[in-house]
């Protein structure tokens, strides 16, 4: 986390906000399922299977698979573009844009929600190095664990700014969920256009920054 400068952390917090924004849209659209929080979907899948609700089980598994495919796509792109990480984010913006377009096509609208999960999976590879994500943009549980550990070190007298960075990521995602929910309640899945636009803006910003380590 400390390997990233302030500009990169600001961008990461914004992208975490986008993840929260899109996840809130997915949560409301699916009635309790997620497009970036796969731990929740895994629990939902297990409970649905135990209750014999194969429809909800299939929905949860489908979103998990879509997210997984997105991770593979993002990681493959990251390994190939190397120093041009903005291309990975451009792919995410393109997927979100495609989802927004499909939402407006009656016979293809069902494709939009799974594409949201693909985009969120791919987004986690924007800050990838040596096959590992140096900043987890949708890992809110892991972020809170790291934040708690940072506070623990602070209590013991260790000084570090890393805790503030984890707090910024969590705050970005939390704020994004509120805005995403309000926007979805206002215009439905058309809210995806805002997510696509923000991600495109982030792509331009990342390109100007140059190499991200």
């Amino acid at each position: 986390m400390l390997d990233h400068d302030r500009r990169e952390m600001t961008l990461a917090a914004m992208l975490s906000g986008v993840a929260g924004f899109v996840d809130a849209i997915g949560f409301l659209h699916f009635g309790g399922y997620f497009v970036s929080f796969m731990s929740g979907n895994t629990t939902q899948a297990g409970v649905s299977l135990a209750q014999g609700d194969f429809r909800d089980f299939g929905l949860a598994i489908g979103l998990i698979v879509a997210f997984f495919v997105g991770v593979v796509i993002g990681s493959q792109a990251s390994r190939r573009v190397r120093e041009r990480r903005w291309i990975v984010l451009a792919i995410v913006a393109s997927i979100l844009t495609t989802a927004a377009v499909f939402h407006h096509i009656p016979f293809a609208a069902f494709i939009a929600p799974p594409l949201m999960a693909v985009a969120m999976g791919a987004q986690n590879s924007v800050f990838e190095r040596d096959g590992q994500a140096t900043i987890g943009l949708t890992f809110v549980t892991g972020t809170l664990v790291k934040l708690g550990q940072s506070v623990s070190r602070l209590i013991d007298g260790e000084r570090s700014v890393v805790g503030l960075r984890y707090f910024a990521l969590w705050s970005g995602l939390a704020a994004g969920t509120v805005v995403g929910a309000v926007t979805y309640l206002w215009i439905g899945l058309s809210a995806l256009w805002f997510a696509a636009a923000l991600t495109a803006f982030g792509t331009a910003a990342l390109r100007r920054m140059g190499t991200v380590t």
Side-chain angles (χ1 to χ4, degrees):
M1 183 71 74
L2 289 174
D3 290 337
H4 296 277
D5 62 29
R6 186 174 298 177
R7 295 179 307 161
E8 293 164 357
M9 288 308 306
T10 299
L11 176 62
M14 187 202 82
L15 293 177
S16 186
V18 172
F21 184 96
V22 176
D23 208 28
I25 294 172
F27 183 86
L28 291 173
H29 185 76
F30 287 118
Y33 290 85
F34 307 89
V35 293
S36 73
F37 179 48
M38 293 304 115
S39 295
N41 283 345
T42 300
T43 300
Q44 291 276 28
V47 171
S48 297
L49 184 61
Q51 294 177 333
D53 189 342
F54 297 107
R55 177 187 175 279
D56 283 355
F57 172 75
L59 174 58
I61 292 298
L63 290 171
I64 292 170
V65 170
F67 183 89
F68 180 81
V69 169
V71 173
V72 174
I73 291 173
S75 184
Q76 282 288 302
S78 178
R79 291 166 64 90
R80 282 161 174 71
V81 300
R82 298 182 180 276
E83 296 181 357
R84 295 176 295 169
R85 298 305 175 90
W86 62 269
I87 294 178
V88 180
L89 194 52
I91 292 173
V92 176
S94 298
I95 296 172
L96 287 173
T97 300
T98 302
V101 170
F102 276 128
H103 161 62
H104 294 288
I105 303 175
F107 64 85
F110 70 94
I111 299 176
L115 285 179
M116 294 162 60
V118 173
M120 292 301 94
Q123 183 172 283
N124 284 290
S125 297
V126 173
F127 295 98
E128 183 177 303
R129 179 177 62 188
D130 298 327
Q132 300 293 325
T134 55
I135 300 178
L137 298 175
T138 67
F139 306 152
V140 66
T141 302
T143 297
L144 286 175
V145 169
K146 295 294 185 181
L147 177 58
Q149 292 170 339
S150 297
V151 171
S152 177
R153 289 194 294 271
L154 182 63
I155 292 173
D156 289 339
E158 298 181 30
R159 291 193 175 187
S160 174
V161 299
V162 70
L164 293 175
R165 296 188 169 199
Y166 286 117
F167 180 74
L169 287 177
W170 177 83
S171 298
L173 190 140
T177 60
V178 175
V179 178
V182 170
T183 308
Y184 177 84
L185 293 173
W186 174 36
I187 57 175
L189 280 183
S190 293
L192 287 174
W193 287 110
F194 289 100
L198 283 171
T199 309
F201 172 80
T203 300
L206 187 56
R207 185 175 185 181
R208 292 190 63 181
M209 288 180 195
T211 302
V212 174
T213 58

